[in-house]
Amino acid sequence: MIRLVCLLIGYVCGCFQTSYIYGKLHGIDIRDYGSGNAGTTNSLRVLGKKAGIIVLLCDMLKTGIAMMLVRFLFRERYGDVLYLLTIYAAAGAILGHIFPFYLGFKGGKGIACTAGLIIFFHPYLLLPQAVSFLTIFFTTHYVSLGSLVTELLLIAEMVLFGQFGVFGMPQGALNELYIVTVLLAALAFWGHRENIKRLAHKEERKTYLTKKSEQ
């Protein structure tokens, strides 16, 4: 039951659909433009750099808020499995972002929310993830490729740090943590299935932070 509560807390936070709200404030439904995705990359391409930054930060923050709420509410009673409950909150936020009930369950792909998970879960996760994503992005300009590598690296980090005792949880809880992480990565890969096809055929659209033409 406690896991469902954490998922629900996350889902409510995740349903704050930043790109949709920002687009509506500017007279558009972001899902009707560009890739049709209600997320950071499409906001950047359609509405500009300012919109991209705002959407990215808000989507990361809503995941962080869900995680911090769970920590605040349950740290005394469930301290031995708090990291596990925290990832359930993050998973709920990602699901709320991807499947917001009030938008016909059509949202974003959850990558910015996953970035929030990485930032707020444990400090050890951040540096390898930042180096990996930025290296891939600035060498290829494929946001999708960087995002998918981030998901795979997150699995590796969770297992590595978990087995070295960083999270301080019993093995059963760690195994569950790993399973949730793998499921989130699988969801991300499913959401990027068309991007993967385009990457395979070298047809994926590139993203630039300058005014340089996108290919």
Side-chain angles (χ1 to χ4, degrees), residues 12-168:
V12 171
C13 292
C15 279
F16 184 85
Q17 189 50 258
T18 314
S19 60
Y20 176 80
I21 295 170
Y22 190 95
K24 282 297 183 180
L25 291 174
H26 290 76
I28 68 168
D29 184 336
I30 190 68
R31 299 171 302 167
D32 294 332
Y33 294 83
S35 66
N37 180 54
T40 299
T41 303
N42 200 39
S43 297
L44 172 67
R45 290 171 174 167
V46 175
L47 295 168
K49 187 184 298 185
K50 178 182 177 181
I53 292 172
I54 290 173
V55 170
L56 173 64
L57 293 177
C58 288
D59 284 350
M60 291 191 299
L61 183 60
K62 68 187 183 187
T63 307
I65 289 173
M67 295 166 73
M68 290 187 290
L69 275 173
V70 165
R71 284 178 179 145
F72 175 77
L73 292 172
F74 304 122
R75 62 187 174 189
E76 296 297 331
R77 186 174 179 183
Y78 298 100
D80 59 331
V81 292
L82 195 57
Y83 279 105
L84 177 61
L85 299 185
T86 300
I87 202 170
Y88 273 104
I94 292 169
L95 290 172
H97 177 80
I98 299 174
F99 307 112
F101 70 92
Y102 63 97
L103 295 178
F105 301 97
K106 182 183 177 184
K109 294 179 179 177
I111 297 301
C113 293
T114 301
L117 186 166
I118 292 165
I119 291 169
F120 289 93
F121 192 83
H122 194 284
Y124 285 4
L125 301 183
L126 182 56
L127 183 59
Q129 290 283 1
V131 171
S132 173
F133 179 83
L134 292 175
T135 299
I136 293 171
F137 175 72
F138 283 111
T139 54
T140 69
H141 295 283
Y142 292 135
V143 173
S144 56
L145 180 60
S147 300
L148 294 173
V149 171
T150 291
E151 297 287 346
L152 295 176
L153 180 57
L154 182 59
I155 297 172
E157 287 180 309
M158 287 297 193
V159 174
L160 177 65
F161 296 136
Q163 293 307 120
F164 273 91
V166 172
F167 305 139

